[in-house]
Amino acid sequence: DAPAGRQAIGAFAEEYMRLDRIATQAKEPTQFPEYGPVLQAAMVRDMRETWETLAFDDRGSVLDLFSTTKVVANLPLAQLYGLDTTGLDATTYKVQSLPADGPRLGILGKPGFLSQFANQKEGSPTLRGKFMRDALLCTPIPPPPGDVITVLDDPPSDQPRTKRQRLEFHRTNPTCAGCHGLMDPLGLPLETFDAIGRLRTTDHGLPIDASGDFDGQPVADARDLGGVIAASPSVARCILSKYYAYALGYKERDVDGSVLNALSVTFEASGFKLRELVLHIVTHDAFASVAPQP
């Protein structure tokens, strides 16, 4: 409950969500003139404080992260969200709520997630889906073979195609289909957000089909995706595994299975409370003990 507790949750969020990438992501300056250090710093703060607020103020479930409408925004970030900017400037922040029926939901609808899994000009369903497959479902995707061309060709100016249509090649090419079939359906519901996480309704002038699939369950759009994830115990268990590895400082080993099974029982019994997860891990014998060495 000390300030360091909040900071510790924020630090995990920063590593887990890979927020260090935000400052390294260049964007096309003529297309996104607002994207710079002030907005980037706001994206990081918005994500960190959302995790901290949910854990300590709301005492919420880790799954609430995917259905929350809370944002922490300064002037440029509030403008990007389309929220009230009264009293805000580059250094003044305010906690606000997104519209209850709006297109964004949870941390996957935040520019702090959407902007980093994108290229300079547009979002990337593949990169967004790859992160989700690893971070939410604990099934990492291997790198593509070295001889595979991963760059999508730009369509002719007189024959516009959406990103979904351009990705269809990867999902039908036998060399690519296996991995892209695991990544793209997760990321396609987020196609309504561009390379900095700004809402859009068309792609190259064509309407966006934001349907997709999460772990075998069809979803209609980004909002539906957030709701499905927020009801997924398997996501909660994956985050347990990720936090356990973060707290102990090493990747999960076979010998950790019994500990994780025990922690999973107490975590679920708590209602998947994020604050309780931290307490359960750091008070477990595995956190304070060293395994016998050969």
Side-chain angles (χ1 to χ4, degrees), residues 39-242:
L39 181 57
Q40 291 169 314
M43 290 177 178
V44 173
R45 179 167 173 174
D46 177 30
M47 186 71 79
R48 282 190 60 133
E49 291 196 14
T50 296
W51 279 74
E52 293 169 9
T53 296
L54 182 130
F56 290 94
D57 301 333
D58 301 343
R59 301 290 178 100
S61 162
V62 72
L63 294 175
D64 293 341
L65 288 165
F66 303 97
S67 59
T68 184
T69 58
K70 289 185 179 180
V71 301
V72 181
N74 62 357
L75 177 60
L77 186 56
Q79 290 173 330
L80 183 57
Y81 274 125
L83 294 171
D84 178 26
T85 60
T86 303
L88 299 179
D89 57 29
T91 59
T92 303
Y93 286 76
K94 182 168 63 175
V95 178
Q96 299 192 60
S97 293
L98 299 171
D101 59 349
R104 300 179 191 267
L105 198 65
I107 57 175
L108 298 184
K110 289 183 176 293
F113 168 73
L114 297 162
S115 66
Q116 56 172 311
F117 296 103
N119 60 35
Q120 294 187 12
K121 295 183 178 181
E122 57 188 4
S124 171
T126 301
L127 290 178
R128 291 168 180 173
K130 184 176 186 291
F131 172 87
M132 293 161 64
R133 179 65 62 178
D134 180 11
L136 304 184
L137 295 170
C138 288
T139 51
I141 303 294
D147 59 346
V148 170
I149 299 175
T150 60
V151 178
L152 293 174
D153 293 332
D154 290 330
S157 58
D158 60 342
Q159 299 177 25
R161 287 181 291 166
T162 65
K163 178 62 75 71
R164 177 187 288 272
Q165 292 169 330
R166 293 158 63 198
L167 283 171
E168 194 62 33
F169 167 76
H170 286 308
R171 293 196 299 277
T172 56
N173 183 326
T175 305
C176 310
C179 289
H180 276 270
L182 295 173
M183 298 183 292
D184 296 353
L186 294 173
L188 284 168
L190 301 170
E191 268 294 271
T192 47
F193 302 103
D194 67 14
I196 64 171
R198 184 171 52 200
L199 183 66
R200 63 178 190 161
T201 57
T202 61
D203 180 9
H204 290 84
L206 300 173
I208 294 172
D209 175 2
S211 62
D213 176 283
F214 184 82
D215 201 22
Q217 185 168 346
V219 295
D221 51 28
R223 184 175 186 82
D224 195 22
L225 175 68
V228 168
I229 296 174
S232 173
S234 62
V235 169
R237 286 190 287 270
C238 180
I239 294 177
L240 158 64
S241 176
K242 296 292 185 181

Side-chain angles (χ1 to χ4, degrees), residues 269-281:
S270 77
F272 299 121
K273 296 291 179 65
L274 181 55
R275 184 178 181 277
E276 297 306 309
L277 170 61
V278 178
L279 292 173
H280 292 156
I281 288 178

